[in-house]
Structure formats: structure tokens, C-alpha cells
């Protein structure tokens, strides 16, 4: 059975709230008299998905227990024994995370029942609503089911019955999720870690012989998901496509097209728009032609008359795994490939992309782009660490893994925008008043995002002044989009770089004016903005708007030597965290490699790119483009590229370790866990900060 991922947001858990009534309160001796569970999926209780049964305890039920739950011996006369219901309970729970109030008691009784009948018990992953409530309701006088329910406004129907208390636990769990998120507890692993941190309570339960409320650290099933073929994650559509694509005119006869396919040894033609105005392209496959020629009613039609439209496409920069997912979702074997201008530049077949295939359970495909709800979006997003770990263990370079993660972050943001649009329509505010485009900025835009992204996004729309009806519509859209991303697991940007904020939401004219203002004023706040903005990547909407903004921004940057001086000064203001004798300086055993190393290399590469008119986004491509221009020392530039890879790899590896332990990922790395070779390599990479400072040069030399 495949386990749930550590990184699954609490909102997206496939869970089952469990409760039982027993013969007594001693977990070691108690027997079950009633069992109930209710499913929690996609952030909601599923009232039609329930399990409920009385159970013959094979012993007298004390009157004191009957007085609590109302179940008398006469009620159990025809009830099944535990061994007769155990398998039904297992089938209902499946791989769900089991939730309950004081769940350690229920799990202990359950374990003992399995032991009595000689059946093997598989301990599920679990969460205790009582202990989760302790994390966010510290002022409560007690954490009984009644007290926590009253605090959260949960009405309990059927108190001291297994169905009633299970439903109450489910309600409590869902109402705790936003409170836990606000406290920095977002994922299953983080909730488990926060529960373990309540050491006194956990220790008392274990001393009493109870099953712990959560499983031991590292005892998860993510490892079962690690086997993955890295090919689709290392290659892009442009690497495997056939180019140039083969076209058939819409007036071509079917028999002539069939002969042409055979002569060229291909399985499909793209078909131009019949009007010849560059409109909707189509496709005719070998199968289409064979069916047409075998049917007297359509045999004489032209290829334009039998073509399938529209032609389904992926972008040339899309990874192969996304092409595989697109084919599977549409049930097709051919795709068009589009270039940066939207024109069709190549063709992909299932043979091209299926030469090597990712594991079925892991392939990301294009599911993020079609998730129907926020919880579903969160469940798909939770797969990212599993894929990252698998690729890292296969030796895939960290920068390539970052490119995959960034692709998914962009798709996540695009889907959040789509869901935000749906919310706007549901609120009666209609669709977009003018064309617009959502931009991902910062590391996500560069293609260098790892496992701790926050929201760096913006919106450009066709027209509308600040405070106008159009601007207010996009403000509301940006707010919904940011809320969705936050719920899924991409937190609000602490610096406010989000489309919901006025600084990051303009029409096209407004963005041009904003960029000109940054370059003209040249203060430190503007430097921070430029650091993020010049990495922009369009993810949703009218990409021509994004292209126009980018062209204006890059064109003006080269004409602003004063601002480039300021940008260079900021880029060379970094000092590597190395001591006087070359040792790594740490704080609480960790070194912040993002602030102490990565940002210096990224910022320096951005300055060099702007200075030399390079429009590439990624740090590696920027440096390689500068190298190709003959600017700077080639060996030094190559060393910085290698150092960038080392820093990305160390940060990613630590993020994966932290996420397994329920620690929120960050840019800091625990030095103690590094081997001698890794430490030496890391020191070398950090020394390249000074090399980058030299490459950027004296800020006053810019002009």
C-alpha cells in the first residue's frame, strides 16, 4: 500500500475520523462495543462515506460503561465479534490518515483487539485532535472533546456514541486546519512533529502502554514512492520533438495524404486552417485516413474535412513528463509543440515521449493544471518533494530538479489564477474585464525554485488606472489567488510581492511607468523590486502583455547606467559565511546558504546579464551567455556556475531531510550532518562569492 506523502497539506489529507465505545477506560483491558468512522476528503466531511457497527465484546458490559454510552448487553446479542468486522474496517480505512480525539486510546484498544484474535495489525498514520488543539488553543482550561468542540463552535450530535464522536472529531480537525496553518503547521509531517514535541503527554501515554498518537519519526512510506525514471524530468519537448513539423493543405485528398504519410514514414500531418489566416490548426493521423478511406460516405473528403481540431499542444520548454500527462489526459498519441511566439515548431508522438517512462504513481503529468478544487491542488502539490528526492538520488543535477519544481510552481500559480477566476464568477463579478497575464517572479521565474517557495507574483492587464473598476477586479482576483496558494502550501510573501498588492498590479502603461520610475529614482527599495521583477515568467493569460513588459524593462535597463551601478553595489555587498581561517560560520549549528551564498551568485548573474543585454532568466544561462560574449574570465564564470549547482544541491538535500522530520524547509543547512568531502566542497562553493564580486567589478565602473 502506498503511504501518504509527508508533505501533504492538512487540507488535502485523505483521512478518516475514528471513534469507538468500549467496556471501560483501561485501554489495555477494554473491549470494543461500537466502532464508527467517517471519511474526510478534499477538505470536507463525506457524510455518505461512513463505517458503523456494534461489536460483541465477548464479555459483560459493566453498568458504569452502559451509563455513559447507553449500549447494554441486550443491544449486543446479535452483534458480530471483532474478527468478523476487522477486514471491513481495514477496507474502509484503506491508506487514510486516522484522526480522533485522544486517538492513542482508540489505537491501543484496536491493536489489542487484533492481538486477541491473532490478526496482524498495521499501524496507520494518525493525528490526535486533542493534541493539535493544544498547539493553538493554549488558553483553554481543558482539551476534552466537549471543551474543544465548544471553543471551535462544533455542535456534537450523539455525544458518547461512536458515530457522533467520530463526526465531532472530523469537524474539529477541519476547523483546526486554518489555526494550525497560521501557527506554521501546514503539512502532515509538521503536524506529527508538533505532536511529538509535546513530549510529556506522549511519554505518559507510552508509559501507560498506549500506542503513540503519531508514528515515530521517519516511519513513513514515502520510500515506497521513490523509484522513478528520471528521463521525462530531464528532457524537454524540444529535445525529443520532430522538427520542422509536416503540414498538409486542407484541400489535400485523403488518398493522396495516405500515400504521403507512407512515403515520409510518419504517422500524422498537421493541417492548416482552411481560411489560411493562421487560425486553428488541426491534425490528421494515419488511423483517421484509414477510417476515412474505408468509409464510402467520407472517402472523397479532403483532409481539412476530417481533421481533428484544435491541435493539442505543449510548449517547447515543457518537460517530457508534462507531454506524457497531456497525452494521457486527452487520450491521444500526437501533440504539436509551440515556440515562444505561440507558433507550431515541432511534433511529438507517443513513441517520442514513451521511450522511457516515469513510474505511474509519481508522474506529475499536467494534473496541476486541471485540479478541480483547492484540496485536490494541495494533494498534487504534495508530490513535489517525493519527485525531488527520487531525482536527487538518481544523480540528476540540482539545477535540473529546480527547473522541474519551478515548472510545477508556475503551473500551480496558473491553476490558482483559474480557480480564482471561478470564484469571481461565483461571486457575481463576472470574468476578466480586459485581457491580463499572471507573472511568476523571483526563483520561480528563473527556474530555480526549490521546496520552500513563497509567493512572488504579479499581474499585468491591458488597461485600467489605479482604483479603476478594472484595477479593483484584479485586486480581488489577486487576493483569491494568493489565498488559494497559501492554503495549498505556498505561503504569502512576507515582502508583499503578490498581485493582490497595488505595487505588483498594473496595466501595461502602468508597468512601463513603474519600471521607468525604478530605474530613474534608483533607491534601495527599487533595487529589491528589480531583483525580483527581472526574473519574470508568464504563466496564465495573454503572454503578449508579459512580453511587452519584459521588452520594455530590459531595453530601459541598458540605458540606465546609474541604476546598474546601484544594482552592482547591492550584488557585491554579500559576504560569504566563512571565518578567518576558512571555517563555516554557523548559527545554532546551521549556515544560511541562501543568504550567505546563493543570493550573491544569483544577483551577480542578473547584473551581468542586464549590463550585457542578456535576456536569459536562469543563473546558469545568464552566466553562459555572458561567457559566450567573451565578457569576464571564462574559468571564473564556469566556477561560479559549478558553485551555484553545489549550493542548490546542499539546500535541496537539507530541505528533504527537514521535511521528513516535520521541519519547515528553508535555505539553511546543518553543517554537522555533512561529511568531510561535502564540507570541503561547500567551503569552495562559498569562496566563489568573492569570485562573483570580482566578476561584477567595481560598481562605479558601470556606465
Amino acid at each position: 500500500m502506498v503511504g501518504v506523502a509527508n508533505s501533504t497539506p492538512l487540507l488535502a489529507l485523505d483521512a478518516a475520523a475514528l471513534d469507538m465505545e468500549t467496556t471501560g477506560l483501561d485501554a489495555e483491558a477494554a473491549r470494543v462495543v461500537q466502532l464508527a468512522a467517517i471519511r474526510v476528503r478534499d477538505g470536507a466531511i463525506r457524510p455518505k462515506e461512513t463505517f458503523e457497527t456494534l461489536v460483541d465484546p465477548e464479555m459483560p458490559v459493566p453498568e458504569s460503561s452502559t451509563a455513559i454510552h447507553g449500549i447494554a448487553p441486550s443491544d449486543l446479542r446479535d452483534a458480530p465479534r471483532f474478527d468478523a468486522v476487522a477486514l471491513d474496517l481495514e477496507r474502509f480505512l484503506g491508506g487514510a490518515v486516522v484522526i480522533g480525539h485522544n486517538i492513542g486510546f482508540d489505537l491501543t484498544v484496536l491493536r489489542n483487539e487484533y492481538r486477541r484474535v491473532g490478526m496482524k495489525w498495521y499501524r496507520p498514520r494518525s493525528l490526535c485532535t486533542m493534541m493539535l488543539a493544544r498547539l493553538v488553543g493554549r488558553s483553554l482550561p481543558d482539551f476534552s472533546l466537549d471543551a474543544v468542540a465548544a471553543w471551535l463552535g462544533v455542535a456534537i450530535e450523539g455525544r458518547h456514541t461512536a458515530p457522533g464522536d467520530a463526526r465531532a472529531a472530523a469537524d474539529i480537525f477541519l476547523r483546526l486546519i486554518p489555526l494550525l496553518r497560521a501557527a506554521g503547521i501546514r503539512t502532515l509531517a509538521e503536524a506529527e512533529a508538533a505532536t511529538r514535541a509535546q513530549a510529556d503527554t506522549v511519554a505518559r501515554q507510552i508509559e501507560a502502554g498506549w500506542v503513540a498518537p503519531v508514528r515515530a519519526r521517519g516511519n513513513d512510506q514515502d520510500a515506497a514512492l521513490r523509484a522513478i525514471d528520471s528521463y521525462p524530468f530531464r528532457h524537454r519537448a524540444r529535445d525529443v520533438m520532430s522538427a520542422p513539423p509536416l503540414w498538409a493543405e486542407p484541400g489535400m485528398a485523403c488518398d493522396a495524404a495516405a500515400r504521403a504519410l507512407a512515403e515520409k514514414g510518419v504517422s500524422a500531418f498537421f493541417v492548416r486552417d482552411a481560411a489560411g489566416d493562421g487560425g486553428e490548426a488541426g491534425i490528421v493521423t494515419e488511423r483517421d485516413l484509414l477510417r476515412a478511406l474505408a468509409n464510402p460516405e467520407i472517402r472523397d473528403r479532403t483532409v481539412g474535412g476530417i481533421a481533428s481540431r484544435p491541435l493539442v499542444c505543449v510548449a517547447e520548454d515543457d518537460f517530457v513528463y508534462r507531454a506524457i500527462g497531456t497525452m494521457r489526459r486527452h487520450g491521444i498519441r500526437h501533440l504539436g509543440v509551440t515556440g515562444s511566439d505561440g507558433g507550431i515548431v515541432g511534433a511529438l508522438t507517443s513513441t517520442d515521449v514513451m521511450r522511457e517512462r516515469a513510474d505511474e504513481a509519481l508522474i506529475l503529468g499536467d494534473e496541476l493544471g486541471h485540479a478541480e478544487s483547492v484540496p485536490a491542488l494541495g494533494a498534487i502539490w504534495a508530490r513535489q518533494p517525493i519527485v525531488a528526492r527520487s531525482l536527487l538520488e538518481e544523480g540528476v543535477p540540482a539545477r535540473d530538479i529546480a527547473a522541474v519544481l519551478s515548472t510545477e510552481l508556475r503551473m500551480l500559480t496558473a491553476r490558482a489564477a483559474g480557480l480564482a477566476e471561478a470564484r469571481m464568477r461565483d461571486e457575481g463579478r463576472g470574468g476578466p474585464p480586459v485581457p491580463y497575464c499572471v507573472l511568476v517572479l523571483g526563483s520561480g521565474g528563473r527556474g530555480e525554485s526549490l521546496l520552500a517557495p513563497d509567493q512572488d507574483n504579479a499581474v499585468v492587464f491591458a488597461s485600467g488606472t489605479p482604483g479603476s473598476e478594472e484595477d479593483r477586479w484584479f485586486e480581488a482576483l489577486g487576493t483569491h489567488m494568493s489565498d488559494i496558494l497559501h492554503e495549498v502550501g505556498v505561503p504569502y510573501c512576507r515582502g508583499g510581492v503578490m498581485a493582490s498588492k497595488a505595487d505588483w498590479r498594473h496595466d501595461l502603461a502602468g508597468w512601463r511607468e513603474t519600471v521607468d520610475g525604478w530605474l530613474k529614482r534608483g533607491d534601495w527599495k527599487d533595487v529589491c523590486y528589480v531583483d525580483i521583477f527581472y526574473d519574470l515568467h508568464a504563466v496564465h493569460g495573454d503572454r503578449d502583455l508579459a512580453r511587452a513588459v519584459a521588452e520594455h524593462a530590459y531595453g530601459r535597463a541598458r540605458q540606465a547606467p546609474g541604476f546598474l551601478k546601484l544594482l552592482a553595489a547591492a550584488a557585491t555587498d554579500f559576504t560569504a559565511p566563512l571565518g578567518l581561517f576558512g571555517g563555516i560560520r554557523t548559527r545554532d549549528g546551521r549556515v544560511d546558504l541562501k543568504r550567505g551564498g546563493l543570493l550573491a551568485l544569483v544577483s551577480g548573474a542578473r547584473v551581468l546579464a542586464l549590463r550585457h543585454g542578456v535576456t536569459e532568466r536562469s543563473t546558469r544561462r545568464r552566466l553562459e551567455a555572458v561567457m559566450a560574449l567573451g565578457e569576464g574570465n571564462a574559468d571564473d564564470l564556469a566556477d561560479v556556475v559549478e558553485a551555484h549547482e553545489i549550493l542548490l544541491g546542499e539546500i535541496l538535500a537539507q530541505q528533504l531531510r527537514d521535511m521528513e522530520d516535520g521541519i519547515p524547509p528553508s535555505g539553511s543547512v546543518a553543517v554537522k550532518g555533512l561529511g568531510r568531502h561535502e564540507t570541503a566542497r561547500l567551503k569552495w562553493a562559498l569562496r566563489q562569492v568573492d569570485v562573483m564580486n570580482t566578476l561584477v567589478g567595481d560598481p562605479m565602473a558601470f556606465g
Side-chain angles (χ1 to χ4, degrees), residues 428-488:
R429 303 190 65 165
V434 294
Y436 77 103
C437 187
V438 175
L439 313 174
V440 167
L441 313 176
S443 61
R446 291 194 308 274
E448 296 169 2
S449 182
L450 295 176
L451 295 172
D454 62 2
Q455 295 182 39
D456 289 332
N457 56 63
V459 162
V460 53
F461 47 98
S463 61
T465 56
S468 65
E469 182 178 343
E470 293 87 354
D471 181 58
R472 290 194 299 273
W473 193 94
F474 288 109
E475 178 183 14
L477 177 84
T479 299
H480 282 309
M481 185 172 74
S482 291
D483 289 346
I484 290 168
L485 290 169
H486 185 70
E487 290 178 37
V488 165

Side-chain angles (χ1 to χ4, degrees), residues 480-521:
H480 282 309
M481 185 172 74
S482 291
D483 289 346
I484 290 168
L485 290 169
H486 185 70
E487 290 178 37
V488 165
V490 182
Y492 299 126
C493 176
R494 294 179 182 178
V497 183
M498 297 177 289
S500 57
K501 307 298 183 183
D503 284 344
W504 299 99
R505 185 184 69 251
H506 301 289
D507 68 358
L508 182 55
W511 270 117
R512 287 170 172 159
E513 183 179 339
T514 296
V515 170
D516 291 347
W518 290 343
L519 300 179
K520 183 178 180 180
R521 287 191 305 271

Side-chain angles (χ1 to χ4, degrees), residues 157-482:
E157 297 181 9
R159 181 70 172 104
H160 294 303
T161 68
D165 290 353
R167 173 64 188 251
D171 274 323
I172 287 171
F173 174 70
L174 292 177
R175 298 197 186 198
L176 283 172
I177 288 175
L179 302 178
L180 292 165
R181 188 189 303 127
I185 301 168
R186 297 171 171 275
T187 68
L188 172 59
E190 289 169 5
E192 289 174 329
T195 299
R196 292 187 202 103
Q198 300 177 56
D200 290 346
T201 301
V202 174
R204 283 196 301 271
Q205 293 185 357
I206 293 175
E207 287 174 6
W210 285 22
V211 173
V214 295
R215 298 205 308 187
R217 180 186 290 112
N219 186 18
D220 61 77
Q221 296 188 34
D222 274 6
L225 299 174
R226 292 183 189 177
I228 182 173
D229 170 23
S230 64
Y231 178 88
F233 298 89
R234 290 185 289 110
H235 294 81
R236 299 179 188 263
R238 63 170 175 265
D239 300 327
V240 297
M241 70 182 185
S242 300
L246 297 176
W247 290 90
E249 296 301 327
M252 189 178 194
C254 287
D255 57 350
R259 288 194 298 271
L261 284 181
E263 290 170 2
K264 295 182 179 294
V266 296
S267 57
F269 278 127
F270 295 157
V271 181
R272 301 186 191 281
D273 176 54
D277 58 2
E280 192 172 76
I283 184 172
V284 168
T285 68
E286 187 176 36
R287 292 181 181 181
D288 295 332
L289 292 169
L290 290 175
R291 282 194 292 265
L293 293 173
N295 186 340
E297 295 183 5
I298 61 174
R299 181 183 300 160
D300 295 331
R301 290 185 185 177
T302 63
V303 293
I306 66 168
S308 299
R309 302 178 191 274
L311 174 64
V312 179
C313 296
V314 294
E316 62 179 343
D317 279 340
D318 282 347
F319 284 98
V320 168
Y321 72 82
R322 188 164 297 285
I324 295 173
T326 301
M327 286 183 180
R328 288 178 177 173
R329 184 169 59 84
H330 288 277
I332 57 179
R333 299 164 59 86
H334 300 80
L335 294 171
V337 181
T338 57
S340 58
D341 62 355
I344 297 171
V345 297
L348 277 178
T349 70
S350 57
T351 303
D352 296 326
V353 300
M354 299 287 188
R355 288 171 183 161
E356 299 192 50
R357 297 173 61 176
D359 182 89
E360 188 73 24
L362 274 180
I363 191 159
L364 297 173
D366 60 350
E367 293 175 86
L368 271 179
H370 302 277
E372 295 294 331
S373 67
V374 175
L377 205 59
I380 300 167
W381 180 246
R383 301 178 194 172
Q384 313 308 310
I386 304 170
V387 173
R389 180 168 50 201
S390 300
L391 296 176
L392 194 64
E393 290 175 353
E394 276 213 1
V396 176
R399 67 171 61 91
D400 292 344
I401 300 173
V404 171
L405 296 175
S406 299
T407 295
E408 295 305 298
L409 176 62
R410 295 166 186 168
M411 182 58 70
L412 175 72
T413 305
R415 187 57 188 145
L419 292 174
E421 277 193 35
R423 287 186 179 182
M424 295 289 283
R425 291 188 175 91
D426 290 344
E427 293 170 357
R429 303 190 65 165
V434 294
Y436 77 103
C437 187
V438 175
L439 313 174
V440 167
L441 313 176
S443 61
R446 291 194 308 274
E448 296 169 2
S449 182
L450 295 176
L451 295 172
D454 62 2
Q455 295 182 39
D456 289 332
N457 56 63
V459 162
V460 53
F461 47 98
S463 61
T465 56
S468 65
E469 182 178 343
E470 293 87 354
D471 181 58
R472 290 194 299 273
W473 193 94
F474 288 109
E475 178 183 14
L477 177 84
T479 299
H480 282 309
M481 185 172 74
S482 291

Side-chain angles (χ1 to χ4, degrees), residues 3-234:
V4 63
N6 285 328
S7 51
T8 303
L10 296 176
L11 181 70
L13 283 182
D14 181 5
L18 174 75
D19 192 78
M20 61 181 63
E21 300 303 324
T22 64
T23 57
L25 298 179
D26 179 353
E28 287 297 323
R31 303 294 297 271
V32 177
V33 297
Q34 187 183 37
L35 265 174
I38 186 167
R39 206 73 178 198
V40 178
R41 187 185 294 113
D42 293 336
I45 293 172
R46 303 296 173 179
K48 294 183 179 180
E49 297 182 44
T50 60
F51 177 89
E52 179 183 345
T53 184
L54 293 172
V55 180
D56 178 3
E58 301 181 81
M59 64 171 286
V61 180
E63 291 183 4
S64 57
S65 297
T66 299
I68 295 173
H69 50 58
I71 300 172
S74 58
D75 298 318
L76 303 171
R77 192 168 294 123
D78 297 322
R81 296 183 308 183
F82 181 80
D83 57 356
V85 302
L87 291 179
D88 290 336
L89 177 64
E90 286 181 14
R91 279 191 287 268
F92 179 82
L93 295 178
V97 175
V98 175
I99 295 167
H101 205 76
N102 206 13
I103 192 64
F105 175 86
D106 301 270
L107 293 177
T108 303
V109 175
L110 203 58
R111 178 200 64 189
N112 293 341
E113 290 284 12
Y114 270 85
R115 287 177 175 175
R116 289 187 186 101
V117 297
M119 297 175 66
K120 185 171 179 59
W121 180 62
Y122 295 94
R123 192 229 193 279
R125 294 187 83 165
S126 54
L127 290 173
C128 178
T129 52
M130 181 184 75
M131 299 189 75
L132 294 177
R134 289 179 185 274
L135 298 169
V136 291
R138 301 182 188 278
S139 62
L140 288 178
D142 72 83
F143 294 90
S144 65
L145 184 68
D146 296 292
V148 175
W151 171 54
L152 294 173
V154 172
I156 306 178
E157 297 181 9
R159 181 70 172 104
H160 294 303
T161 68
D165 290 353
R167 173 64 188 251
D171 274 323
I172 287 171
F173 174 70
L174 292 177
R175 298 197 186 198
L176 283 172
I177 288 175
L179 302 178
L180 292 165
R181 188 189 303 127
I185 301 168
R186 297 171 171 275
T187 68
L188 172 59
E190 289 169 5
E192 289 174 329
T195 299
R196 292 187 202 103
Q198 300 177 56
D200 290 346
T201 301
V202 174
R204 283 196 301 271
Q205 293 185 357
I206 293 175
E207 287 174 6
W210 285 22
V211 173
V214 295
R215 298 205 308 187
R217 180 186 290 112
N219 186 18
D220 61 77
Q221 296 188 34
D222 274 6
L225 299 174
R226 292 183 189 177
I228 182 173
D229 170 23
S230 64
Y231 178 88
F233 298 89
R234 290 185 289 110

